[in-house]
Amino acid sequence: MSFSTPDPFRPLILDDVRGAQKMLSGVARMTAMEGSRHLSQLVGAPVHLKCENLQRTGSFKLRGAYVRIAGLRPEEKAAGVVAASAGNHAQGVALASSLLGVRSTVFMPVGAPLPKVAATREYGAEVILHGTVVDETLAAAEAYARETGAVFIHPFDHPDIIAGQGTVGLEILEQCPEVRTILVGVGGGGLAAGIAVAVKAVRPDVKVIGVQAAASASYPPSLAAGHPVAIDPAPTMADGIKVGRPGDVPFALIKELVDGIRTVSEDDLSSALLLCMERAKLVVEPAGASPVAALLSDPGAFRGPVVAVLSGGNVDPVLLQRILRHGMAAAGRYLSLRLRLPDRPGALAALLRSLSVVDANVLDVSHVRTDPRLGLTEVEVELHLETKGPEHCLEVEAALREEGYQVIS
């Protein structure tokens, strides 16, 4: 199977996805389908997690990249391939090219996380750091393709790519034949389009729902307009689905086959990532956790059994640390307070004893003595506490007030 140029007018069909599945045999793993008791209780129906975060290279991107590169003509393979990506697509192209014996060059932004840059090089690609935003990186990769004759491998806007990603849908039907709803994160739309092509051809009754970060949701306005619309995406932790304009090829398929697009907040995303780690013991990047975020934000909206596609697990450890803090705060697991105390020996020790009684763990304490609003014998104390949830936060504040402390915030 090969499509040498994107053709939005040629309909992608189930046979294309099945052909891609045969091509990927022995290359891409059939990733695990894990049940989630916590999410099942929340939704009131079985919820399963399709773990593409455990795929080779840490995401579904290998599937489409391999099918696209394998379908090139011999002279195109000889010219090599080039791609632009901040992470997952880069690694997918690098490994696929190495497996097929094709030279690959990957342009990545200057600020790309070091683990992703290192992994892309280790998979065999030549990495060129260029630009500070993905648009600049993309332009550089396209210019390289024009200058050298290398084939540009688009991350989502090509039928071969979509057919490869659609193999996830075939696996879902095999692993969970009773599925009624599939939730999948959407950036440019390649994964959602491919899953919809595969699933709707076999089970038209199954709902396929896309999920986007509210800060960078290009599909709702595009679907309303009836054609791809470019937006200026705001910053989001879900950088894997931060795409300013839908692809022409996936947009046509999503418009026809996908049953709806949901948007989720940054708090929803961080809470979902934290839940995946704590309850499912799975490391998932924010974009990959977006379907779980949709379940958390509106659990009664989806008919079960539900399959949530965890599309990737490549998250920079530094970012992960920040996101986990954000998720714990969103879940009411952190509490920040300011209190006025008498400035005398033992006052702080007494406060800390009071906090220990209500089982609040003190993470940080700071004193302020120079605020003009303070009395001559007063000190302001700022506390950062680890708590057990929103109810415990209220319990801590109530206990402090009962003991006569002036809680400012």
Side-chain angles (χ1 to χ4, degrees):
M1 179 187 69
S2 175
F3 305 96
S4 59
T5 57
D7 180 4
F9 303 104
R10 179 204 183 281
L12 199 67
I13 59 176
L14 178 61
D15 283 347
D16 296 319
V17 183
R18 285 178 171 158
Q21 189 175 44
K22 291 179 182 178
M23 190 179 291
L24 288 167
S25 177
V27 176
R29 298 177 180 135
M30 177 183 278
T31 51
M33 181 85 75
E34 299 288 343
S36 172
R37 183 172 61 179
H38 177 77
L39 287 172
S40 296
Q41 290 174 342
L42 186 68
V43 173
V47 174
H48 305 278
L49 306 176
K50 176 61 172 166
C51 300
E52 281 296 289
N53 59 311
L54 303 180
Q55 183 58 262
R56 297 177 71 178
T57 74
S59 87
F60 70 97
K61 289 287 189 177
L62 171 64
R63 298 173 183 264
Y66 187 91
V67 172
R68 173 75 173 104
I69 297 169
L72 296 176
R73 298 187 299 272
E75 61 271 25
E76 291 176 319
K77 290 179 180 178
V81 299
V82 61
S85 168
N88 290 345
H89 181 59
Q91 293 173 68
V93 168
L95 179 56
S97 299
S98 294
L99 293 173
L100 292 163
V102 176
R103 184 179 70 258
S104 63
T105 303
V106 176
F107 284 75
M108 302 182 77
V110 173
L114 293 179
K116 294 184 179 182
V117 175
T120 303
R121 286 188 172 125
E122 288 171 8
Y123 286 129
E126 177 188 357
V127 174
I128 298 175
L129 300 178
H130 181 93
T132 57
V133 296
V134 174
D135 286 345
E136 294 173 356
T137 309
L138 180 63
E142 291 175 330
Y144 179 92
R146 290 191 296 270
E147 293 165 5
T148 65
V151 179
F152 179 68
I153 306 299
H154 199 283
F156 50 81
D157 206 11
H158 193 285
D160 281 3
I161 294 285
I162 296 169
Q165 320 305 28
T167 59
V168 176
L170 294 180
E171 291 180 13
I172 290 172
L173 293 179
E174 180 178 344
Q175 293 170 301
C176 184
E178 67 278 14
V179 63
R180 303 301 295 273
T181 303
I182 298 172
L183 295 171
V184 54
V186 176
L191 178 60
I195 288 175
V197 167
V199 170
K200 292 291 188 176
V202 181
R203 287 277 309 281
D205 60 300
V206 174
K207 299 292 186 184
V208 179
I209 307 293
V211 184
Q212 291 204 291
S216 59
S218 59
Y219 264 87
S222 296
L223 290 169
H227 57 83
V229 172
I231 66 166
D232 184 14
T236 173
M237 67 179 72
D239 58 346
I241 52 175
K242 182 183 176 182
V243 176
R245 182 186 183 279
D248 292 327
V249 181
F251 176 81
L253 294 167
I254 286 175
K255 180 182 176 184
E256 177 186 358
L257 299 173
V258 170
D259 297 284
I261 299 290
R262 292 255 170 174
T263 59
V264 292
S265 70
E266 298 300 291
D267 282 353
D268 294 332
L269 288 165
S270 58
S271 296
L273 186 145
L274 183 62
L275 184 145
C276 287
M277 290 195 67
E278 285 193 324
R279 297 300 184 100
K281 315 306 178 191
L282 292 167
V283 177
V284 182
E285 62 191 88
S290 58
V292 176
L295 288 172
L296 293 178
S297 65
D298 194 2
F302 309 105
R303 187 175 182 182
V306 177
V307 172
V309 180
L310 307 182
S311 58
N314 293 316
V315 57
D316 179 55
V318 176
L319 176 61
L320 178 61
Q321 186 179 43
R322 293 202 299 265
I323 293 170
L324 289 176
R325 287 200 194 106
H326 187 274
M328 291 183 72
R333 301 272 292 278
Y334 286 142
L335 176 62
S336 296
L337 295 171
R338 289 187 299 131
L339 304 95
R340 298 277 174 86
L341 301 178
D343 190 9
R344 62 171 182 260
L348 179 59
L351 171 61
L352 296 178
R353 283 195 297 272
S354 299
L355 291 170
S356 69
V357 170
V358 290
D359 205 22
N361 185 35
V362 179
L363 300 176
D364 189 41
V365 180
S366 62
H367 285 74
V368 176
R369 286 188 168 88
T370 57
D371 193 314
R373 293 170 296 181
L374 293 172
L376 185 63
T377 59
E378 284 185 319
V379 61
E380 187 171 288
V381 175
E382 184 173 354
L383 297 165
H384 298 281
L385 310 173
E386 183 181 6
T387 62
K388 300 174 183 178
E391 292 182 0
H392 191 209
C393 291
L394 296 175
E395 180 186 341
V396 170
E397 291 193 49
L400 292 174
R401 288 192 171 95
E402 285 178 8
E403 294 197 24
Y405 289 104
Q406 182 184 356
V407 180
I408 301 171
S409 65

